[in-house]
Amino acid sequence: MVALVEKWPVLGRHEQAAVWLGVWADLGRTPRTLDAYARGLAEYLLMCEREQVDPVTANRSHVAMFVRELTSRPHHRGPNVVSLDSGAGLANATIQQRLVPVRLFYDYLMEEGARESNPVGRGRYTPGRRGGGGQGRGLVPRMAKLPWIPTEQQWLDILAVAALEPIRNRVMLALAYDAALRREELCSLRTDDLDPAHRTVRVRAETTKTRRGRVVPYSAPTGVLLSAYLGHRVTLSRARGPLFLSESRRNRAEPLTLWTWSKVVRRIALAAGVPRFSTHTTRHLCLTDLARMGWELHTIASFAGHRHTDSTLTYIHLSGRDLAAKLNRSMEHIHAWRVATLTASSTAAPELGR
């Protein structure tokens, strides 16, 4: 908590903000979540200070000013940004992320009796609308974009570059795809999470986004790579603990960090000429492939560790499985009709020639 205030001094200048953030810390939110909350609220408070507005009494117009600032802000990566989906400097998902702590902060002020309404608000259920009511539009429209996955050729290009990587990087990439692991789940694996006899890996609840533990399988080729890596790992450390270790001179045998793995994947992506490839792409690709192979929705959800099947439906849509099945069924009928018509036409042709 002290570190966050040091990183964002504006939080220390607003007592309610510091108390609110402390509540979330006491509730056991992860450091990454706390950092995201602190950043979003700090940026809002800085805007309030520039506009000489008391955030406790701010209204919807002031929140709208913050949204305008987010939607027009230049991206910090400048020309090196991989993709944008907001039409401006920040992606739609990032803007939504910045607004979450602001909304939660005002929820807290309402609970404490400091104000009566939340200027950020949420989409509201509006009775009487066409279709029997519905969800009102939120402060910022939410874009439901499908995840990006590489083409077959792009995946082959990634694999060609990855084949030249050290054994640790190759097995990490293979496990990330095989078990559809998120970056934190992959980097947090421990030696006792593995069950080579059954070719499964345990994903502990505390390392997951949804706090749902699961056991997932991996393929035989990945098992071979993993066995080779375990033999190599002994040269770094014989102690049980984190599975993937750093091999740099500065941090030798220390647990591999999320940021190091991100840099490895980024380097592979650029070398392969596929800059959109990231640490999360392997998860998207695996779940989409499972949908293409006909896995049931709830089975994919269990494999992925999703709390709700709404998230899993994304991969069903991305695979095009349901649409393809409907198209095939329709085309079978149309095809039969067209063939029958052509057959009838061919038998009638001699009569027409007479």
Side-chain angles (χ1 to χ4, degrees):
M1 179 61 197
V2 175
L4 290 175
V5 174
E6 291 177 352
K7 183 177 181 180
W8 304 101
V10 66
L11 295 173
R13 297 196 293 270
H14 296 268
E15 182 181 356
Q16 296 96 331
V19 172
W20 171 80
L21 199 60
V23 169
W24 287 112
D26 292 340
L27 289 174
R29 290 299 186 270
T30 65
R32 291 178 62 193
T33 299
L34 290 174
D35 187 71
Y37 282 1
R39 177 172 184 168
L41 185 57
E43 291 186 353
Y44 174 70
L45 295 176
L46 287 171
M47 187 277 299
C48 288
E49 289 186 348
R50 286 195 301 272
E51 300 297 326
Q52 298 182 347
V53 174
D54 181 0
V56 177
T57 60
N59 56 38
R60 198 171 181 84
S61 66
H62 300 122
V63 177
M65 291 173 60
F66 181 53
V67 171
R68 183 182 63 187
E69 178 183 304
L70 293 176
T71 54
S72 60
R73 178 183 302 173
H75 199 279
H76 69 279
R77 293 183 185 175
N80 294 323
V81 63
V82 174
S83 65
L84 295 173
D85 60 9
S86 66
L90 291 182
N92 179 266
T94 305
I95 295 172
Q96 300 285 353
Q97 184 186 59
R98 294 289 192 275
L99 287 175
V100 166
V102 180
R103 185 180 68 241
L104 293 177
F105 174 61
Y106 282 116
D107 281 346
Y108 165 77
L109 293 181
M110 290 173 61
E111 292 172 357
E112 295 296 310
R115 59 179 298 138
E116 295 181 355
S117 63
N118 190 326
V120 180
R122 295 170 173 82
R124 299 184 305 278
Y125 181 78
T126 310
R129 296 181 64 185
R130 182 163 39 183
Q135 187 74 16
R137 176 172 173 171
L139 193 65
V140 177
R142 186 178 294 274
M143 298 181 185
K145 295 186 65 179
L146 290 176
W148 176 85
I149 58 172
T151 64
E152 288 300 313
Q153 185 56 55
Q154 288 172 327
W155 178 239
L156 291 175
D157 292 341
I158 290 289
L159 293 180
V161 174
L164 306 177
E165 288 289 310
I167 183 65
R168 183 202 67 194
N169 297 346
R170 281 184 285 150
V171 74
M172 288 184 72
L173 196 63
L175 265 179
Y177 170 76
D178 260 2
L181 298 178
R182 301 179 180 92
R183 179 181 65 163
E184 188 167 1
E185 294 170 350
L186 177 68
C187 294
S188 299
L189 287 177
R190 300 177 61 85
T191 52
D192 54 357
D193 291 330
L194 302 176
D195 184 355
H198 297 94
R199 286 210 309 269
T200 59
V201 59
R202 179 185 61 181
V203 184
R204 286 169 285 115
E206 61 269 23
T207 69
T208 68
K209 180 180 178 180
T210 58
R211 295 298 181 259
R212 296 168 65 91
R214 65 190 190 276
V215 175
V216 289
Y218 55 84
S219 65
T222 298
V224 174
L225 272 177
L226 185 56
S227 178
Y229 171 70
L230 291 175
H232 171 72
R233 184 185 180 280
V234 172
T235 64
L236 298 172
S237 173
R238 293 181 175 273
R240 299 178 66 85
L243 177 60
F244 298 114
L245 304 178
S246 171
E247 299 185 27
S248 68
R249 284 180 293 180
R250 186 176 60 179
N251 300 312
R252 188 172 179 80
E254 292 294 319
L256 190 74
T257 66
L258 304 178
W259 322 118
T260 299
W261 175 235
S262 292
K263 290 178 182 178
V264 169
V265 172
R266 182 64 177 160
R267 174 169 48 77
I268 293 174
L270 293 177
V274 190
R276 295 188 69 180
F277 191 88
S278 70
T279 56
H280 212 63
T281 302
T282 46
R283 177 175 168 84
H284 291 323
L285 183 59
C286 173
L287 298 179
T288 304
D289 285 345
L290 296 181
R292 287 168 174 166
M293 289 186 287
W295 279 39
E296 294 297 327
L297 178 65
H298 288 282
T299 305
I300 300 177
S302 177
F303 185 89
H306 288 155
R307 182 179 288 114
H308 306 292
T309 55
D310 289 349
S311 300
T312 316
L313 277 172
T314 300
Y315 303 99
I316 301 292
H317 297 328
L318 186 59
S319 70
R321 187 184 74 192
D322 290 349
L323 291 178
K326 290 178 181 178
L327 179 63
N328 289 336
R329 287 195 297 270
S330 301
M331 287 302 292
E332 285 176 5
H333 172 72
I334 295 173
H335 179 72
W337 173 75
R338 293 192 189 281
V339 170
T341 304
L342 289 171
T343 304
S345 300
S346 64
T347 55
E351 298 295 333
L352 294 174
R354 291 178 183 175

